């Protein structure tokens, strides 16, 4: 059965685009599934799980969409400042980071904030959950790389790094991770927590994505996507993906190959087919779609054939930002999630209250 994929992209124009990809033909086509204008500032982050899509914005909110019921689920209002990063762990939890230095853990069952950790003195710039779900890495503008124990919400390890890092990612197997600072990728081993190799990109790096445990796709402030072998710490392949700089890259494995999805300032989302062999060949273009927007972030999600059938019956036809007015005129019903927050400092023990001696 052909894979069923959905592309979700955010833009400077405050709009989130959703496309359903038909993968049963030689040239893949992306059909407009939804366009949504829930934010009042540019979309800064997007993440997708099996059921939900979430978007973060400079308007300080996280918008939640239930893709199973095809409804706007509501907004999460806990961060004070831009939402900088969003990541699901499986189907049960969402993690968010923001300019307020907070790292929040949300339950997707009732959309409650289970933990709110003051993770960095400056902004949280990126986070990544270990495949086990027990640890999360975060980097921020305080020049630290921090490891958090998600079981108790406390700091497990703090590493001072010489520069502000803006991206951190675990490998799929969880035995190594990468930290990105400007144009450099530092490759760490979990066992030793030391840098085993470094690769330098010609331009500042905007986005990275592990295609498997050894190959990392890197997009910088140019039109090229480069593939790095993190075991050997060297570049193994590169290709021109867009006419202008690539803003973000994501991927999904289909059958015996990887589909790399790129989004650019030029408004295009492109899908590339890469066979992850020992000798990597240049990828082939599977398909593309023009959103006519300045794209900022991207997520790829796999859906079930049943969801695809529902989508085909109900999908709106808007494809560009110019055609959105009829969509935006619809009445919205938003449920705001209220959350109880436990704020935990990583280093300050709680003071015991003195008993009143009755004097």
């Amino acid at each position: 059965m052909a894979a069923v994929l959905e592309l979700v992209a955010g833009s400077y124009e405050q709009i989130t685009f959703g496309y359903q990809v038909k993968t049963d033909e030689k040239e893949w086509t992306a059909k407009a599934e939804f366009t949504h204008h829930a934010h009042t500032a540019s979309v800064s982050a997007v993440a997708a799980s099996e059921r939900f899509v979430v978007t973060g914005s400079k308007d300080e909110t996280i918008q939640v969409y239930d893709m199973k019921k095809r409804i706007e689920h509501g907004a999460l209002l806990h961060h004070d400042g831009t939402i900088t990063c969003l990541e699901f762990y499986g189907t049960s939890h969402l993690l968010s980071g923001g300019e307020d230095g907070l790292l929040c853990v949300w339950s997707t069952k009732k959309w409650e904030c289970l933990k709110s950790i003051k993770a960095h003195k400056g902004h949280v710039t990126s986070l990544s959950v270990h495949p086990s779900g027990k640890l999360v890495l975060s980097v921020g503008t305080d020049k630290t790389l921090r490891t958090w124990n998600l079981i108790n919400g406390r700091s497990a390890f703090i590493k001072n790094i010489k520069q502000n890092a803006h991206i951190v990612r675990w490998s799929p197997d969880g035995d190594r991770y990468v930290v990105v600072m400007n144009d450099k990728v530092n490759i760490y081993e979990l066992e030793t927590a030391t840098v085993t190799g470094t690769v330098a990109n010609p331009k500042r790096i905007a986005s990275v994505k592990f295609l498997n445990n050894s190959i990392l796709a890197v997009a910088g402030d140019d039109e090229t996507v480069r593939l790095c072998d993190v075991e050997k710490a060297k570049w193994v392949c590169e290709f021109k993906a867009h006419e202008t700089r690539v803003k973000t890259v994501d991927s999904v494995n289909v059958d015996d190959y990887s589909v790399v999805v790129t989004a650019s300032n030029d408004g295009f989302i492109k899908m590339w087919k890469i066979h992850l062999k020992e000798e990597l060949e240049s990828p082939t273009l599977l398909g593309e779609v023009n959103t006519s927007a300045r794209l900022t972030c991207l997520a790829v999600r796999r859906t079930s054939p049943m969801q695809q059938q529902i989508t085909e019956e109900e999908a709106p036809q808007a494809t560009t930002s110019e055609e959105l007015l009829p969509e935006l005129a619809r009445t919205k019903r938003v449920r705001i999630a209220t959350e109880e927050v436990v704020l935990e400092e990583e280093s300050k023990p709680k003071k015991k209250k003195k008993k009143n001696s009755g004097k």
Side-chain angles (χ1 to χ4, degrees), residues 51 66-73 307 310 314:
R51 178 169 178 177
D66 187 328
M67 302 303 288
K68 187 178 178 183
K69 295 181 179 177
R70 298 285 156 185
I71 60 168
E72 185 179 347
H73 200 71
Q307 280 183 300
I310 294 168
E314 298 179 357

Side-chain angles (χ1 to χ4, degrees), residues 10 29 65 87 105 117 123 131 142 170 172 176 178 183 200 236 253 349:
T29 54
Y65 310 96
E87 185 175 317
V105 182
I117 304 163
H123 305 168
D142 55 2
W170 285 106
R176 58 168 60 92
V178 295
D183 60 348
V236 289
N253 290 327

